[in-house]
Amino acid sequence: PFRIKHTHVRTAMRNGAVFEICYSGALRGEDERRNWWTAAKELVRMTKGKGLIISSGSDQIENLRAPRDAENL
C-alpha cells in the first residue's frame, strides 16, 4: 500500500501521461485485493476517468479475463 499524491497525478496528466490499472491485483489474496481496489478507486477519482488503460498485467493464463469481465471491474 502507498499513497498517491493528487498533485503528482495532475502534473503527469498535464504532461500527457496515461495510467495503467492492472486487474490481476484484484484476483489475488485478501490484502492484495483490498489494496488494489483502494488504489484503483483513488486513481479513477483523481483522473476523473480520463487517461486510464485497463489491462491484465498477468503472466499466467488463468488470470486473463474476457473483455466484458474486465469492463465489469
Side-chain angles (χ1 to χ4, degrees):
F2 60 93
R3 299 197 62 88
I4 303 170
K5 294 192 177 190
H6 190 277
T7 55
H8 292 169
V9 171
R10 290 290 184 179
T11 302
M13 287 182 64
R14 269 188 258 129
N15 292 329
V18 292
F19 296 92
E20 179 180 18
I21 298 176
C22 299
Y23 64 76
S24 63
L27 307 175
R28 295 191 182 126
E30 184 66 30
D31 290 334
E32 292 89 356
R33 186 177 310 131
R34 183 179 22 240
N35 290 335
W36 184 87
W37 279 110
T38 302
K41 186 172 75 170
E42 188 67 14
L43 190 59
V44 169
R45 185 186 68 78
M46 287 181 191
T47 62
K48 298 179 183 170
K50 297 178 183 172
L52 293 176
I53 298 172
I54 308 295
S55 70
S56 70
S58 177
D59 56 351
Q60 298 175 357
I61 191 81
E62 59 267 2
N63 290 336
L64 295 177
R65 298 292 183 250
R68 295 284 183 186
D69 292 340
E71 180 183 341
N72 285 332
L73 281 174

